[in-house]
């Protein structure tokens, strides 16, 4: 930040010759297991941040909703989803006989091989972007990075991340969306999206743990859409203004830390803990040992707007936190037919076929690239590298096309901030 320049070392399209060859070794490991059952591949342990019974928690939440309903925020009741609120408000789709805003989930993972699971994780990213995150997180140790990546892929299957993406924010807890407990807005001095997380809005009793976890996964996946090469990380503001002990939620803290370190590595550029109460230093002593040293090194503290202005330009900083940006979060509800394309099964099948063909071409070019590296043929390695980068762009474009059929629109598409792969915060920023 002092130099005003983004660190792009080890980032896609900014690799040294040595880093590119390590990446080729990573792909060699992937391709060696490509057609194998995912479950048969050794990986890091898949650790639950906290022990809980998902079915029992959901059942208890539903029972409370049915027998002892209470308002959480803005007319949103406990365990009520955005879909529930839309039904209550008469928002429905003309594309569906029953008025559902999104068609029933259809998995796009055809089998249980690593091949199918891998592409379900890559989605609209460049394939290399995903693998490079794990390589950087494991300091370019291929075997460690590979086991970490396989664990993350298995975790996504277990957590049905594909289904969460499919339904978007409509099955999120309504109170969480209405409150704006966490939301992205603007960018910092390095161009990284700013994620505002106001702890004073959060209370553990306001939602079940399964709903909180779903919300967190949805945020992580949605933030991926707001990143682009070379901006591959976010600026997280942990806003502790008006924070009290009532806002502490250890299950949430442990879950967030685990997700960030193990399943979404190298997504955090900086975390600024802002305006913490005097006693928060004691809480930090409990949290810091839970953090990976690399993540812990990215944590900064600021007590006044001047501290935030070191990292965020005055025009980007929210007015309520000492800047000139007058934006105030307000959840935009779904429109009845915003997901019309998702009901087009023929269009989805055509997009999937186009994407699969390009993925096969990319893998073939990657195999040539890996082999050239193994044979020590530098000229062929360079030629294959250029070819696969060209195909990577085509794969990304085809994936973005298919995404329209397999991902519900959400808050950031409704605001106009996210259009395809273009991110434009000016759509919702206002100044004097």
């Amino acid at each position: 930040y002092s130099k005003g320049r983004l660190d792009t070392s080890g980032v896609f399209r900014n690799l040294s010759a040595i880093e590119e060859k390590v990446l080729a070794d990573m792909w060699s490991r992937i391709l060696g297991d490509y057609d194998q059952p995912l479950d048969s591949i050794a990986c890091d342990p898949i650790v639950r941040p906290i022990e809980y019974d998902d079915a029992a928690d959901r059942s208890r939440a539903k029972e409370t909703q049915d027998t002892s309903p209470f308002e959480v925020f803005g007319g949103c009741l406990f365990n009520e989803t955005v879909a529930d609120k839309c039904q209550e408000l008469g928002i429905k789709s003309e594309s569906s006989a029953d008025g559902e805003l999104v068609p029933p989930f259809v998995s796009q993972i055809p089998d249980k091989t690593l091949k199918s699971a891998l592409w379900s994780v890559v989605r609209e990213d460049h394939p290399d972007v995903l693998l490079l995150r794990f390589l950087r997180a494991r300091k370019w140790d291929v075997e460690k990075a590979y086991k970490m990546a396989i664990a993350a892929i298995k975790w996504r299957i277990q957590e049905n991340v594909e289904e969460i993406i499919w339904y978007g924010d409509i099955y999120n807890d309504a109170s969480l969306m209405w409150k704006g407990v966490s939301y992205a807005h603007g960018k910092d001095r390095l161009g990284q999206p700013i994620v505002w997380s106001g702890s004073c809005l959060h209370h553990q009793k306001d939602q079940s743990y399964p709903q909180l976890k779903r919300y967190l996964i949805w945020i992580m996946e949605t933030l991926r859409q707001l990143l682009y090469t070379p901006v591959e990380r976010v600026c997280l503001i942990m806003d502790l203004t008006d924070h009290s002990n009532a806002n502490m939620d250890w299950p949430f803290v442990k879950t967030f830390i685990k997700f960030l370190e193990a399943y979404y590595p190298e997504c955090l550029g900086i975390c600024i803990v802002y305006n913490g109460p005097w006693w928060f230093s004691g809480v930090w002593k409990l949290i810091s040992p839970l953090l990976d040293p690399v993540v812990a090194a990215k944590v900064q503290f600021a007590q006044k707007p001047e501290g935030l202005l070191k990292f965020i330009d005055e025009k980007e900083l929210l007015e309520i936190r000492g800047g000139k940006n007058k934006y105030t979060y307000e959840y935009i509800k779904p429109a009845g037919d915003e997901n019309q394309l998702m009901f087009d099964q023929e269009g989805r099948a055509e997009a999937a076929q186009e994407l699969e063909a390009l993925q096969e071409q990319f893998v073939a070019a990657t195999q040539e690239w890996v082999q050239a590296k193994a044979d020590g043929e530098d000229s062929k390695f360079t030629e294959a590298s250029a070819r696969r980068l060209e195909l990577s762009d085509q794969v990304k474009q085809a994936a973005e096309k298919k995404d329209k059929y397999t991902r519900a629109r959400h808050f950031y598409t409704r605001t106009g901030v996210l259009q395809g792969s273009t991110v434009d915060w000016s759509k919702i920023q206002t100044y004097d």
Side-chain angles (χ1 to χ4, degrees):
Y1 285 88
S2 60
K3 296 180 179 178
R5 186 171 65 246
L6 188 69
D7 179 11
T8 59
S9 58
V11 170
F12 181 60
R13 295 189 188 277
N14 290 279
L15 303 180
S16 67
I18 293 175
E19 289 168 344
E20 185 176 5
K21 290 184 177 180
V22 174
L23 177 61
D25 290 338
M26 181 72 162
W27 271 107
S28 180
R29 287 291 282 116
I30 292 281
L31 296 175
D33 288 331
Y34 198 56
D35 294 312
Q36 297 301 309
L38 178 62
D39 286 345
S40 69
I41 303 172
C43 67
D44 287 348
I46 301 174
V47 180
R48 279 188 164 192
I50 67 167
E51 286 301 321
Y52 76 102
D53 186 324
D54 189 84
D57 277 11
R58 291 179 187 277
S59 177
R60 282 193 295 270
K62 186 66 170 66
E63 182 179 357
T64 299
Q65 181 182 14
D66 293 341
T67 62
S68 312
F70 62 90
E71 182 177 341
V72 175
F73 181 86
C76 299
L77 303 180
F78 175 80
N79 208 46
E80 192 173 31
T81 66
V82 172
D84 293 331
K85 290 295 291 183
C86 287
Q87 186 175 25
E88 177 186 315
L89 296 168
I91 301 171
K92 59 183 180 178
S93 171
E94 298 298 329
S95 301
S96 169
D98 56 8
E100 290 294 324
L101 300 177
V102 179
F105 170 63
V106 179
S107 177
Q108 303 300 296
I109 306 176
D111 55 44
K112 297 184 178 181
T113 63
L114 171 58
K115 168 187 174 180
S116 296
L118 174 67
W119 287 111
S120 77
V121 180
V122 172
R123 289 194 67 97
E124 302 81 50
D125 265 345
H126 285 282
D128 286 352
V129 168
L130 179 70
L131 299 190
L132 285 167
R133 291 190 184 282
F134 293 100
L135 282 170
R136 293 197 303 269
R138 289 295 176 263
K139 297 180 173 56
W140 302 91
D141 184 310
V142 171
E143 194 58 31
K144 289 181 179 179
Y146 183 66
K147 288 184 176 180
M148 183 187 188
I150 296 298
I153 293 171
K154 289 182 179 181
W155 170 82
R156 291 176 66 92
I157 300 296
Q158 291 179 10
E159 293 292 345
N160 296 317
V161 174
E162 181 193 22
E163 183 176 358
I164 292 173
I165 293 171
W166 177 280
Y167 286 113
D169 58 14
I170 70 161
Y171 282 157
N172 283 353
D173 183 274
S175 69
L176 288 170
M177 299 306 301
W178 256 252
K179 283 191 285 188
V181 174
S182 294
Y183 64 90
H185 182 77
K187 55 189 178 181
D188 69 7
R189 292 185 182 275
L190 301 183
Q192 300 175 138
I194 302 170
V195 180
W196 290 91
S197 185
S199 65
C200 70
L201 295 173
H202 178 73
H203 295 86
Q204 186 175 350
K205 65 178 178 59
D206 286 351
Q207 61 284 306
S208 66
Y209 179 75
Q211 269 292 14
L212 184 66
K213 184 180 65 170
R214 177 191 182 88
Y215 177 71
L216 189 52
I217 292 173
W218 175 78
I219 288 176
M220 296 286 206
E221 288 299 318
T222 304
L223 287 174
R224 288 178 65 187
Q225 291 188 285
L226 302 178
L227 301 174
Y228 52 88
T229 302
V231 180
E232 296 187 0
R233 303 177 180 93
V234 302
C235 169
L236 173 63
I237 310 292
M238 298 295 293
D239 189 352
L240 302 185
T241 302
D242 298 326
H243 178 90
S244 71
N245 279 327
N247 304 121
M248 283 305 301
D249 182 350
W250 284 110
F252 168 77
V253 170
K254 291 178 180 179
T255 301
F256 175 66
I257 290 172
K258 184 62 181 178
F259 284 7
L260 197 64
E261 292 178 351
Y263 308 131
Y264 295 92
E266 288 291 302
C267 287
L268 180 67
I270 188 171
C271 173
I272 305 171
V273 180
Y274 177 67
N275 200 19
W278 64 267
W279 48 263
F280 185 76
S281 59
V283 176
W284 177 246
K285 289 179 181 179
L286 297 175
I287 295 175
S288 55
L290 302 176
L291 297 175
D292 179 278
V294 175
V295 174
K298 296 178 180 180
V299 177
Q300 299 286 325
F301 293 86
Q303 286 298 119
K304 297 180 180 179
E306 290 77 11
L308 292 176
L309 289 170
K310 294 178 181 178
F311 308 100
I312 305 169
D313 187 88
E314 192 175 31
K315 287 189 67 176
E316 296 286 344
L317 185 61
L318 298 181
E319 186 177 54
I320 59 171
R321 294 296 173 259
K324 294 187 175 181
N325 185 352
K326 292 182 176 295
Y327 175 78
T328 300
Y329 175 87
E330 181 179 357
Y331 180 62
I332 297 177
K333 296 180 290 294
D337 281 316
E338 66 182 11
N339 297 308
Q340 193 170 3
L341 278 178
M342 294 187 71
F343 291 88
D344 182 358
Q345 297 181 28
E346 290 185 7
R348 186 193 310 144
E350 290 176 6
Q353 187 175 19
E354 178 186 344
L355 175 58
E356 185 177 349
L358 285 166
Q359 287 170 343
E360 290 176 356
Q361 292 180 49
F362 175 82
V363 169
T366 299
Q367 288 171 328
E368 293 178 9
W369 177 65
V370 168
Q371 189 59 51
K373 188 263 182 184
D375 295 340
E377 298 185 15
D378 291 344
S379 60
K380 285 187 177 181
F381 182 78
T382 301
E383 290 174 10
S385 178
R387 173 60 178 154
R388 67 186 296 278
L389 286 177
E390 178 184 333
L391 284 165
S392 182
D393 288 335
Q394 295 176 29
V395 167
K396 179 174 171 60
Q397 291 167 9
E400 289 171 355
K401 179 179 178 181
K402 183 184 176 184
D403 182 69
K404 297 175 183 178
Y405 299 92
T406 60
R407 185 198 299 261
R409 304 310 91 187
H410 52 69
F411 176 73
Y412 299 98
T413 53
R414 293 178 205 128
T415 60
V417 166
L418 180 64
Q419 295 294 328
S421 59
T422 301
V423 179
D424 183 3
W425 294 108
S426 69
K427 297 289 185 182
I428 53 175
Q429 287 177 328
T430 56
Y431 310 102
D432 288 329

